[in-house]
Amino acid sequence: MLNVPSQAFPAPGSQQRAASGGRSKVPLKQGRSLMDWIRLTKSGKDLTGLKGRLIEVTEEELIRHNKKDDCWVCIRGLVYNVSPYMEYHPGGEDELMRAAGSDGTDLFDQVHRWVNYESMLKECLVGRMAVKPVAVAKGILLKSQVSDLPAKEISPSYDWFQTESLVTIVTYTKQKDMDLESVIVDYQDGSFRAEIIIKDHSYLLYTELSHEIQEDITVHVAEKTGKVEIVLKKKDNISWKYLGHPLENHNSFTAHRDTGLYYRKCQLISKVDVTHDTKLYCLMLPPGTHLQVPIGQHVYLKQTVAGTEIVKPYTPVLDSLYLDLQEPIHPHNKYIYFMMKIYHTGLFTPHFDCLQIGDGVSLSSPEGNFKKSQLQELEELFLLAAGTGFTPMVKILNYALTNITSLRKVKLMFFNKTEGDILWRNQLEQLADKEKRFEVEFILSEPTSEWTGKQGRISLPLLSGFVKRSIENSRVLVCICGPEPFTEQGIRLLKDLNFSKEEIHSFTE
Ligand code: FAD
Ligand code: NAD
């Protein structure tokens, strides 16, 4: 048997981030859903043709397996026979064939880095490459390799000191735009892990602490200097001789796109109906975790369905639109809310909905390219949402109305199939009544005859009247989110309406 690389943190390429390009699903044949694939992998059928043997694959051998019925693909040094998977691939056979007989790591990363291929394709594993393929196996950039960053950004360092009862770990990032959202801390089973996000890189501290600590960890960030202080409470008031034993990639500075996602187990605290098929779920972070999901970003939720790990992205919302714009009852940094639509024929959501209060769910660190700074000094904000594409708009709406004093107008155009599908309709209408700067319009694609509002799908006539600058050259942002065809069409129409690339932010995979 070969020594297949360990799947421990950071599992090479595991559960990675959504690529910016997005992907299109193709209609799959009857009996070829992901669930059918999982069933096939559990059937005991020999999917590699090697009867469970793992082999060492040379480049010459890999190249030979380049046909649909004999197709091997290498991802991060591991070679899979993907022929049995062809008909089950949501992106279609042609997309998979682009990597036939070659190293598909880059292609895979461009399209769906976060998909947990190790779990999905484990029965298709042929072996590992004899010679490491050209693509970087794990992509850890050491400090000396970070050449595209200004020098002052490439050398974060840490120090630690103690009092009788506390241990303080200090990191000097020398960055001005740091805040509490830039620091993610986890303390689980004696391991302390802190990820400090500095622009598009992560500085990682990962160590098995020399002594036990209490679970309430405090984080301070000095926004002007970028100094990050993580304060640990000792369990016993004794002097520590050293901080701990370094774990994998401790004290490394890595391009964010190359870090595997880190998961922690949260607890389901509540679920409340929002509409006939959508619920608001509240997850509680473990006590040793400090994590705040930035506005406009998403996380990945992971659960095991029929023995296979399934990962899907979700965008946290608030527990309500806070009509009085006051602080939420639950502090942001312990509870995370999700508004999730349950698809009865879906893979992830029916299982998620079966979770009982108190059950555990794995939640990743945040991802996404929306920046709060895009809202600074805006005068007009237009939000175009379809279905659950409303989710990123929730925090944006709340933040914009609460913090952006230059804003004169926030308009939400919300596309749904029927009246019964409109999420938080009452709250939105009440907010519009109360807050003069906010306006909402509902557009239905499958209305009943009683509906007197606007109808149809996204179109130029609908948009041209709605996303209109009230003053020439006003500072504007249009955010758009929904099913892929909706978003793609919306972007095209916005460009036709002369909005620049910088004035459009689309939330895509
Ligand atoms: P799937 O198995 O993906 O199926 C969904 C539907 O598509 C079903 O009706 C299924 O029958 C059909 N289907 C599946 N495959 C095919 C195919 N090949 N051809 C035709 N039909 C097919 N959703 C939310 O509810 N809330 C959120 O906050 C949220 N945030 C997101 C953030 C991001 C960045 C992205 C990219 C998506 C987000 N989503 C969100 C969507 C979410 O990630 C899942 O896609 C969704 O929950 C469906 O997952 P599922 O596994 O249950 O369904
Ligand atoms: P849905 O099927 O209920 O449709 C809602 C509305 O979208 C429809 O009424 C229609 O106006 C429009 N629409 C649907 N299909 C369209 C098409 N082919 N062309 C033009 N317009 C179309 O929507 P849903 O089931 O709630 O799905 C929401 C989608 O939003 C999912 O695909 C989900 O992945 C995506 N989403 C993405 C993010 C993100 O951040 N990227 C976040 C949340 C949801």
Side-chain angles (χ1 to χ4, degrees):
M1 288 294 254
L2 288 165
N3 180 19
V4 173
S6 111
Q7 304 291 298
F9 168 79
S14 68
Q15 327 310 343
Q16 299 210 25
R17 292 161 287 145
S20 55
R23 69 175 161 147
S24 307
K25 279 182 175 173
V26 300
L28 298 172
K29 286 186 205 154
Q30 191 79 25
R32 293 293 181 270
S33 72
L34 212 43
M35 199 62 222
D36 294 313
W37 170 250
I38 292 172
R39 274 190 215 107
L40 177 63
T41 63
K42 307 285 167 212
S43 67
K45 197 170 170 199
D46 176 14
L47 297 182
T48 59
L50 295 170
K51 301 196 171 72
R53 236 176 359 112
L54 292 176
I55 59 167
E56 202 155 284
V57 182
T58 60
E59 283 193 33
E60 296 73 38
E61 175 84 33
L62 179 65
I63 292 165
R64 276 200 290 275
H65 299 272
N66 61 358
K67 294 166 210 72
K68 245 179 208 171
D69 58 352
D70 176 19
C71 180
W72 290 10
V73 173
C74 169
I75 307 175
R76 289 188 177 78
L78 296 182
V79 179
Y80 298 92
N81 178 352
V82 295
S83 291
Y85 182 59
M86 283 284 169
E87 293 190 336
Y88 299 82
H89 183 226
E93 296 184 6
D94 292 346
E95 193 190 290
L96 206 49
M97 281 305 291
R98 286 170 67 201
S102 67
D103 185 348
T105 309
D106 284 348
L107 265 177
F108 178 82
D109 282 351
Q110 274 166 32
V111 185
H112 36 205
R113 299 157 75 86
W114 52 275
V115 171
N116 49 333
Y117 68 92
E118 300 104 318
S119 185
M120 303 265 293
L121 294 179
K122 61 178 181 264
E123 300 305 325
C124 299
L125 185 65
V126 168
R128 69 188 305 175
M129 288 301 291
V131 182
K132 265 205 166 141
V134 182
V136 180
K138 200 156 54 181
I140 300 302
L141 278 183
L142 299 175
K143 285 180 199 174
S144 58
Q145 294 173 279
V146 184
S147 55
D148 55 336
L149 287 173
K152 63 177 181 159
E153 291 181 17
I154 63 168
S155 52
S157 60
Y158 81 99
D159 206 348
W160 69 282
F161 57 89
Q162 60 184 314
T163 63
E164 195 183 325
S165 57
L166 304 175
V167 168
T168 303
I169 302 169
V170 186
T171 301
Y172 303 94
T173 68
K174 298 179 193 156
Q175 294 301 306
K176 285 208 173 89
D177 49 358
M178 300 292 294
D179 59 20
L180 285 174
E181 290 173 353
S182 321
V183 185
I184 301 168
V185 181
D186 289 281
Y187 175 64
Q188 309 191 72
D189 306 324
S191 299
F192 167 84
R193 186 184 185 279
E195 188 175 341
I196 300 173
I197 296 151
I198 305 170
K199 295 195 171 14
D200 54 356
H201 278 59
S202 286
Y203 178 57
L204 184 70
L205 299 174
Y206 194 24
T207 174
E208 188 160 347
L209 293 177
S210 61
H211 293 80
E212 279 189 72
I213 58 166
Q214 294 173 37
E215 280 176 321
D216 54 329
I217 294 173
T218 317
V219 178
H220 302 286
V221 178
E223 292 190 11
K224 284 196 181 127
T225 59
K227 178 180 167 192
V228 175
E229 275 187 332
I230 303 171
V231 185
L232 316 178
K233 285 189 191 146
K234 292 179 181 175
K235 214 162 201 172
D236 304 307
N237 290 351
I238 46 170
S239 176
W240 290 20
K241 292 209 170 50
Y242 61 101
L243 186 63
H245 295 287
L247 294 170
E248 202 171 357
N249 299 322
H250 172 63
N251 199 18
S252 68
F253 190 47
T254 312
H256 199 53
R257 63 171 183 269
D258 294 326
T259 43
L261 283 180
Y262 185 78
Y263 285 84
R264 69 280 301 153
K265 203 66 163 206
C266 295
Q267 209 181 29
L268 180 65
I269 293 298
S270 62
K271 49 176 155 176
V272 177
D273 285 343
V274 175
T275 63
H276 62 105
D277 61 4
T278 303
K279 290 180 190 169
L280 185 70
Y281 299 86
C282 177
L283 298 185
M284 185 172 69
L285 290 166
T289 294
H290 166 96
L291 184 158
Q292 294 182 8
V293 183
I295 291 167
Q297 295 203 6
H298 54 271
V299 295
Y300 296 95
L301 296 180
K302 180 167 76 172
Q303 54 178 348
T304 302
V305 177
T308 297
E309 281 187 351
I310 303 294
V311 176
K312 292 273 163 124
Y314 293 94
T315 313
V317 295
L318 302 168
D319 62 347
S320 76
L321 284 174
Y322 306 141
L323 302 178
D324 46 5
L325 302 178
Q326 278 172 0
E327 276 299 297
I329 307 156
H330 286 151
H332 281 310
N333 54 359
K334 278 290 157 215
Y335 297 89
I336 304 189
Y337 292 89
F338 293 96
M339 201 182 267
M340 195 188 289
K341 175 166 172 175
I342 310 302
Y343 298 84
H344 293 298
T345 48
L347 188 61
F348 188 93
T349 50
H351 281 263
F352 188 84
D353 195 40
C354 285
L355 291 175
Q356 302 296 310
I357 304 303
D359 282 352
V361 185
S362 291
L363 175 140
S364 79
S365 300
E367 290 284 310
N369 51 19
F370 185 83
K371 302 235 166 5
K372 244 192 255 175
S373 57
Q374 288 172 257
L375 298 170
Q376 290 313 319
E377 295 179 11
L378 273 191
E379 291 169 291
E380 300 183 79
L381 174 63
F382 299 108
L383 307 173
L384 306 176
T388 56
F390 173 59
T391 52
M393 309 305 177
V394 171
K395 282 192 185 182
I396 291 178
L397 187 55
N398 180 275
Y399 180 84
L401 289 175
T402 320
N403 293 284
I404 310 297
T405 47
S406 53
L407 259 185
R408 266 194 273 259
K409 200 86 216 157
V410 182
K411 288 168 90 175
L412 167 68
M413 197 174 223
F414 196 1
F415 296 80
N416 284 282
K417 287 185 187 146
T418 67
E419 276 189 86
D421 293 320
I422 303 176
L423 305 167
W424 281 355
R425 179 180 181 176
N426 284 344
Q427 291 196 43
L428 286 165
E429 285 175 340
Q430 284 176 38
L431 184 61
D433 277 349
K434 217 169 173 170
E435 169 58 68
K436 291 283 159 290
R437 294 174 297 163
F438 178 61
E439 214 174 281
V440 61
E441 182 144 31
F442 303 113
I443 321 284
L444 300 184
S445 58
E446 297 169 22
T448 58
S449 52
E450 284 101 67
W451 177 251
T452 53
K454 290 202 169 133
Q455 36 184 292
R457 284 184 167 186
I458 196 163
S459 65
L460 202 55
L462 277 175
L463 283 193
S464 58
F466 193 80
V467 287
K468 212 166 161 183
R469 293 170 203 265
S470 52
I471 351 160
E472 215 182 323
N473 298 327
S474 61
R475 285 185 298 275
V476 167
L477 181 70
V478 191
C479 295
I480 179 161
C481 187
E484 245 173 60
F486 166 87
T487 307
E488 279 164 14
Q489 203 178 334
I491 295 170
R492 276 197 299 275
L493 295 171
L494 290 167
K495 285 185 180 156
D496 291 347
L497 288 168
N498 290 324
F499 287 95
S500 67
K501 243 166 63 185
E502 293 69 37
E503 289 173 329
I504 305 170
H505 186 95
S506 64
F507 293 86
T508 49
E509 212 182 285

